[in-house]
């Protein structure tokens, strides 16, 4: 009888411990999802952004925000702050600040300004930014080599508050490559570096985009 009682006691202890683990796991999950998911799932958290432009928004809003770009139903343009746009890939509202600095060793001649205007539209479209904030700087006839040879090439740096992601970057890279092809620069002789700049690291209007 003593052995049987001991076994029963051990079994009850194990059951109690198991139930305690289940309860603890349930409470932790409930706390993490703000008591049964009352808080919406968000694309990013403000803490992770460290001052970057993209706000924390429910994932479900992305499609609705994108529709507003084409004038479709959904978000009113009045909800988008002046000087901002919408990231085509994520649907997030982003500050309109992109700039491109491009160097090439080819002579663009009298077509240089046309190239710059076309590049400006490519950035605005690819990044979902208002063109009124896009800045383009192009320097041609630079002393440059690629692979140790004097061959047509181009090096560019694109800076933006948000909207820097694989989908948008590929669109912009493809458009810039098409534009440079008109000047004899092959796509495999072009580097475009994309930089997602925190708000506080971008000066504008005597201050920064962080305020």
């Amino acid at each position: 009888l003593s052995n049987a009682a001991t076994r029963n006691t051990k079994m009850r202890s194990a059951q109690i411990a198991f139930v305690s683990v289940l309860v603890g796991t349930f409470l932790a999950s409930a706390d993490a999802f703000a008591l049964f998911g009352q808080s919406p799932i968000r694309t990013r958290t403000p803490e992770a952004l460290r001052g970057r432009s993209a706000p924390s928004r429910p994932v479900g809003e992305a499609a609705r925000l994108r529709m507003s770009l084409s004038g479709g139903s959904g978000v009113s343009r009045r909800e988008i702050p002046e000087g901002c746009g919408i990231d085509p890939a994520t649907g997030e509202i982003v500050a309109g600040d992109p700039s491109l600095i491009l160097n090439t060793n080819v002579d663009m001649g009298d077509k240089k300004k046309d190239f710059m205007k076309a590049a400006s539209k490519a950035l605005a479209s690819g990044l979902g930014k208002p063109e009124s904030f896009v800045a383009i700087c192009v320097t041609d006839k630079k002393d440059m080599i690629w692979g140790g040879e004097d061959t047509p090439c181009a090096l560019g740096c694109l800076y933006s508050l948000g909207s820097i992601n694989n989908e948008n970057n590929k669109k912009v890279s493809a458009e810039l490559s098409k534009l440079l092809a008109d000047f004899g620069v092959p796509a495999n002789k072009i580097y475009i570096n994309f930089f997602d700049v925190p708000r506080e690291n971008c000066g504008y209007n005597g201050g920064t985009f962080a305020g």
Side-chain angles (χ1 to χ4, degrees), residues 108-181:
M108 293 185 160
D110 58 3
K111 295 182 179 180
K112 182 176 177 180
K113 280 294 176 63
D114 291 336
F115 170 85
M116 295 173 69
K117 291 178 180 179
S120 178
K121 294 185 181 302
L123 262 64
S125 175
L127 301 179
K129 301 295 189 83
E131 191 178 0
S132 59
F133 276 76
V134 176
I136 304 291
C137 176
V138 176
T139 305
D140 60 348
K141 298 182 288 187
K142 293 283 288 185
D143 292 330
M144 299 169 60
I145 61 173
W146 186 291
E149 298 180 356
D150 183 9
T151 184
C153 59
L155 303 175
C157 292
L158 191 157
Y159 304 90
S160 176
L161 301 184
S163 285
I164 298 298
N165 52 63
N166 188 47
E167 184 175 336
N168 294 347
N169 296 353
K170 287 194 296 185
K171 290 179 181 178
V172 173
S173 181
E175 287 302 313
L176 293 178
S177 294
K178 289 179 183 177
L179 294 174
L180 286 167

Side-chain angles (χ1 to χ4, degrees), residues 7-206:
R7 284 195 298 271
N8 289 336
T9 300
K10 289 183 177 179
M11 289 179 64
R12 283 195 295 271
S13 298
Q15 291 172 345
I16 292 172
F18 179 73
V19 171
S20 297
V21 171
L22 289 178
V23 171
T25 302
F26 173 79
L27 292 176
S29 300
D31 181 64
F33 286 97
L35 295 178
F36 312 106
Q38 292 178 3
S39 296
I41 298 174
R42 301 186 180 275
T43 53
R44 303 180 190 174
T45 61
E47 294 78 15
L49 289 171
R50 297 184 180 276
R52 298 190 182 197
S53 60
S56 178
R57 284 185 168 272
V59 171
E61 288 189 14
R64 191 166 68 95
L65 285 168
R66 280 195 291 271
M67 286 183 67
S68 69
L69 284 174
S70 58
S73 60
V75 172
S76 166
R77 283 189 175 275
R78 287 177 295 181
E79 295 182 38
I80 304 174
E82 183 179 358
C84 293
I86 297 178
D87 185 330
T90 66
E92 295 172 326
I93 294 177
V94 286
D97 66 294
S99 61
L100 172 69
I101 300 175
L102 183 73
N103 294 298
T104 180
N105 54 0
V106 300
D107 185 353
M108 293 185 160
D110 58 3
K111 295 182 179 180
K112 182 176 177 180
K113 280 294 176 63
D114 291 336
F115 170 85
M116 295 173 69
K117 291 178 180 179
S120 178
K121 294 185 181 302
L123 262 64
S125 175
L127 301 179
K129 301 295 189 83
E131 191 178 0
S132 59
F133 276 76
V134 176
I136 304 291
C137 176
V138 176
T139 305
D140 60 348
K141 298 182 288 187
K142 293 283 288 185
D143 292 330
M144 299 169 60
I145 61 173
W146 186 291
E149 298 180 356
D150 183 9
T151 184
C153 59
L155 303 175
C157 292
L158 191 157
Y159 304 90
S160 176
L161 301 184
S163 285
I164 298 298
N165 52 63
N166 188 47
E167 184 175 336
N168 294 347
N169 296 353
K170 287 194 296 185
K171 290 179 181 178
V172 173
S173 181
E175 287 302 313
L176 293 178
S177 294
K178 289 179 183 177
L179 294 174
L180 286 167
D182 293 338
F183 298 91
V185 180
N188 63 350
K189 295 293 189 298
I190 302 170
Y191 282 148
I192 305 293
N193 296 295
F194 295 84
F195 298 91
D196 191 347
V197 182
R199 280 178 173 266
E200 65 271 19
N201 290 353
C202 186
Y204 171 72
N205 198 27

